Each structure stands twice: as C-alpha cells, then as structure tokens.
Amino acid sequence: MLLLAAPPAPAAAQREEILELAPGRRVTVAVPTGFVVERAAEPAAPPELRLRDATGQVSLDLALLPDPEGQAATPRARRERLVELFEEHVAASVEQAMRFEELEPRRGAGTWCLFTDRALVGRAELPPNEYRLLAVGVKAWPGVMVVFRLFSQDAESPTHRAAWAVLRESVEERPVPLR
C-alpha cells in the first residue's frame, strides 16, 4: 500500500479529513494539531488513512470497511474480528492475552485491546518506526466497520491522548441533510 503525505496543518487549527465511503456516505476524521495525514493511494481499495504526530511518537492507522450485514454490530462480533486480525501479537506482548475494552465513542460502538511489545520495554532508544504500545480495535456503526491500529511510545503522552480522542469523538459518518 502506498501512502501520500499531506502537508501539516497550521499549528493553531485542527482540521478535518473527509473519506468517501460511497456516493452520499462520508466519514469525517478530526486531525489533531501537530499530526500529519497520509492517505492510501489506491482509489479502488477501501479508504485508509494514517495520522501521525510530527515527533514520530504516535501513529494511528484507520481502514474503513463496508459492513452491510452488521458483522461488527455486537461486542462479541467485534472481539471475534479482533482475534481474527490481531491474535499474532499476543505471543510477543507483555499481556500474553487479548484483554478487550469497550471504546464508548460519541457515535457507534467499539472494542479494543492493548499490546505492549515485550522486546521494547525498558529500552531508552528505539529503532525508527518501532513502538512500545499497540492498541488495536474495531469501531462500527450501521453499514461501516473501522479497523484501527494505534502505535505509541507512551500511553500518558498528550499525542497518545489526542489519538484516542480522534477515535472516541471523531471517525464518524455525519447525517447528510435531506434536500
């Protein structure tokens, strides 16, 4: 997958990215100040977006998938999907299990879990593009499933919290007014 980088926004204002799901269906993603946006360059593929902070401490990947049958509508279904997609991370994690949490977004529903990379715990210097923490999840609303991966160095950092705010308060389809 090729990604195209968008120029960073002015430091003072948060901006929004709009992803087209289908004609008349758009998902809005709020981009925190200091984050750079990269979009997937394959127009035929489902929409994908990467948000990363300028310091390289946080990266949030979003993949928007159609879900017309509501396969991610229930917590159990979302958990099964997470196991299917991310079980491979369990063995290398400190947690040694998938501990599911509910996202409780403003719109829709979500389920996530956190992995701490056992090989990177306690290391002061990390190789480029390697992260101590990986939160994975599925956010859903009728007809849509968003699979996300949030890479971070520190769960308490402002940039990590900003990425979680994007997932809870953004990444949503806003109703379109009737004409």
Side-chain angles (χ1 to χ4, degrees):
M1 169 182 67
L2 295 174
L3 295 173
L4 301 176
Q14 181 174 353
R15 68 188 191 285
E16 291 184 336
E17 288 287 321
I18 307 294
L19 298 166
E20 187 84 25
L21 292 175
R25 295 196 74 182
R26 294 180 176 164
V27 173
T28 302
V29 178
V31 179
T33 300
F35 277 70
V36 175
V37 176
E38 299 170 345
R39 286 182 176 245
E42 300 172 28
E48 293 184 19
L49 194 69
R50 173 174 291 154
L51 307 176
R52 55 182 176 80
D53 78 308
T55 67
Q57 298 297 302
V58 173
S59 180
L60 174 60
D61 295 345
L62 306 168
L64 285 73
L65 306 170
D67 188 17
E69 291 85 35
Q71 296 175 350
T74 66
R76 180 182 175 128
R78 290 189 298 275
R79 290 173 183 180
E80 288 172 356
R81 185 70 167 185
L82 288 172
V83 169
E84 177 186 312
L85 294 171
F86 299 109
E87 185 176 32
E88 68 192 54
H89 296 290
V90 171
S93 74
V94 170
E95 294 80 10
Q96 293 292 294
M98 294 181 86
R99 298 182 184 136
F100 301 106
E101 301 282 338
E102 289 305 300
L103 182 62
E104 300 178 11
R106 179 171 63 180
R107 289 192 178 103
T111 304
W112 65 280
C113 65
L114 178 71
F115 300 111
T116 307
D117 189 330
R118 190 175 45 221
L120 300 178
V121 171
R123 288 184 59 184
E125 294 293 321
L126 298 179
N129 299 317
E130 289 201 28
Y131 298 88
R132 285 185 183 86
L133 304 173
L134 169 61
V136 297
V138 172
K139 181 176 178 177
W141 59 89
V144 180
M145 164 186 350
V146 179
V147 177
F148 65 85
R149 297 180 309 162
L150 172 57
F151 299 92
S152 179
Q153 303 300 7
D154 178 5
E156 301 303 317
S157 74
T159 52
H160 180 90
R161 289 193 302 268
W164 274 113
V166 168
L167 292 166
R168 286 191 185 103
E169 300 166 15
S170 177
V171 188
E172 62 190 10
E173 187 174 9
R174 293 185 185 156
V176 176
L178 297 174
R179 295 180 188 182

